[in-house]
């Protein structure tokens, strides 16, 4: 487990994900859903409020994800400000409302820190894991979707400020 957040660490998550892939294949079980999460502007939080505030944000996200997850799901902090949630037995047709609620919550987070409210959001990449899925490929696809979400948010922010997009 990750000592700061209490979630699985990268190694623990990789083991969990491999076991889930095997369960899907062995029992022809329902798909699972991988949700990759990266906090937006986390460096700004650390630089502005200090690393203790950043740690409090990480703990807050982890606690939220662990309370959101079902007992069969896996939550991990992969490192830095990157988290992952693997929702087991979550076929496409059942996932839309759960993901919508999760995305809303992850993009409206805050902590109260030394009399100040620190607001933060997250970029998200989502990919279904099926019986024929390779775990590494599922992670790579979710990572590409996360990057696109982050890039889209950056472009929207620059447009609101009337800056040309710099990429």
């Amino acid at each position: 487990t990750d000592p700061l957040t209490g979630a699985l660490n990268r190694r623990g998550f990789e083991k969990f994900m491999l076991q889930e892939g095997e369960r899907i294949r062995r029992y022809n079980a329902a798909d699972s859903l991988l949700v990759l999460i990266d906090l937006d502007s986390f460096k700004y939080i650390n630089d502005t409020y200090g690393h203790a505030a950043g740690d409090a944000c990480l703990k807050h996200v982890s606690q939220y994800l662990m309370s959101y997850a079902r007992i069969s799901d896996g939550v991990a902090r992969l490192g830095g400000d990157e988290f992952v949630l693997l929702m087991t037995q979550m076929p496409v047709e059942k996932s839309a409302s759960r993901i919508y609620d999760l995305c809303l919550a992850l993009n409206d987070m805050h902590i109260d820190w030394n009399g100040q409210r620190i607001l933060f959001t997250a970029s998200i990449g989502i990919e279904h894991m099926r019986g024929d899925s390779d775990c590494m490929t599922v992670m790579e696809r979710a990572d590409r979707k996360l990057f696109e979400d982050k890039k889209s948010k950056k472009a929207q922010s620059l447009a609101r400020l009337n800056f040309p997009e710099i990429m």
Side-chain angles (χ1 to χ4, degrees):
T1 56
D2 175 57
L4 178 66
T5 64
L8 292 171
N9 61 19
R10 180 179 292 274
R11 193 172 343 154
F13 180 75
E14 288 170 353
K15 183 178 178 182
F16 178 81
M17 189 174 180
L18 287 171
Q19 289 172 338
E20 178 59 12
E22 182 58 32
R23 185 195 64 78
I24 293 170
R25 281 186 287 285
R26 180 178 292 161
Y27 299 109
N28 197 26
D31 300 344
S32 292
L33 185 71
L34 182 92
V35 183
L36 199 55
I37 301 152
D38 187 78
L39 300 186
D40 298 325
S41 304
F42 188 69
K43 183 179 179 339
Y44 172 80
I45 292 170
N46 277 335
D47 291 350
T48 303
Y49 302 99
H51 290 276
D55 287 352
C57 291
L58 295 173
K59 289 176 188 177
H60 180 76
V61 171
S62 179
Q63 289 168 356
Y64 173 78
L65 290 172
M66 288 190 284
S67 69
Y68 181 83
R70 301 163 302 165
I71 196 162
S72 62
D73 297 341
V75 174
R77 177 177 174 220
L78 297 178
D81 63 341
E82 191 172 48
F83 292 87
V84 66
L85 167 64
L86 183 60
M87 301 170 73
T88 63
Q89 300 182 53
M90 186 60 60
V92 175
E93 58 276 1
K94 291 186 177 182
S95 63
S97 65
R98 296 247 332 150
I99 290 304
Y100 179 76
D101 293 341
L102 180 64
C103 289
L104 284 178
L106 290 171
N107 281 288
D108 189 29
M109 294 213 148
H110 72 273
I111 63 165
D112 293 320
W113 185 258
N114 294 334
Q116 293 182 305
R117 180 160 282 190
I118 301 174
L119 305 171
F120 56 101
T121 60
S123 294
I124 300 164
I126 300 165
E127 185 66 28
H128 271 87
M129 189 167 108
R130 297 172 173 84
D132 60 351
S133 297
D134 171 68
C135 293
M136 186 60 75
T137 302
V138 172
M139 287 290 285
E140 288 170 358
R141 287 180 181 158
D143 194 45
R144 279 195 299 271
K145 290 175 181 178
L146 183 145
F147 176 75
E148 288 301 316
D149 188 34
K150 195 169 277 290
K151 184 177 169 183
S152 171
K153 286 179 179 177
K154 182 178 179 183
Q156 289 171 5
S157 293
L158 290 172
R160 278 194 300 271
L161 296 171
N162 263 342
F163 284 108
E165 184 174 349
I166 301 169
M167 288 300 205

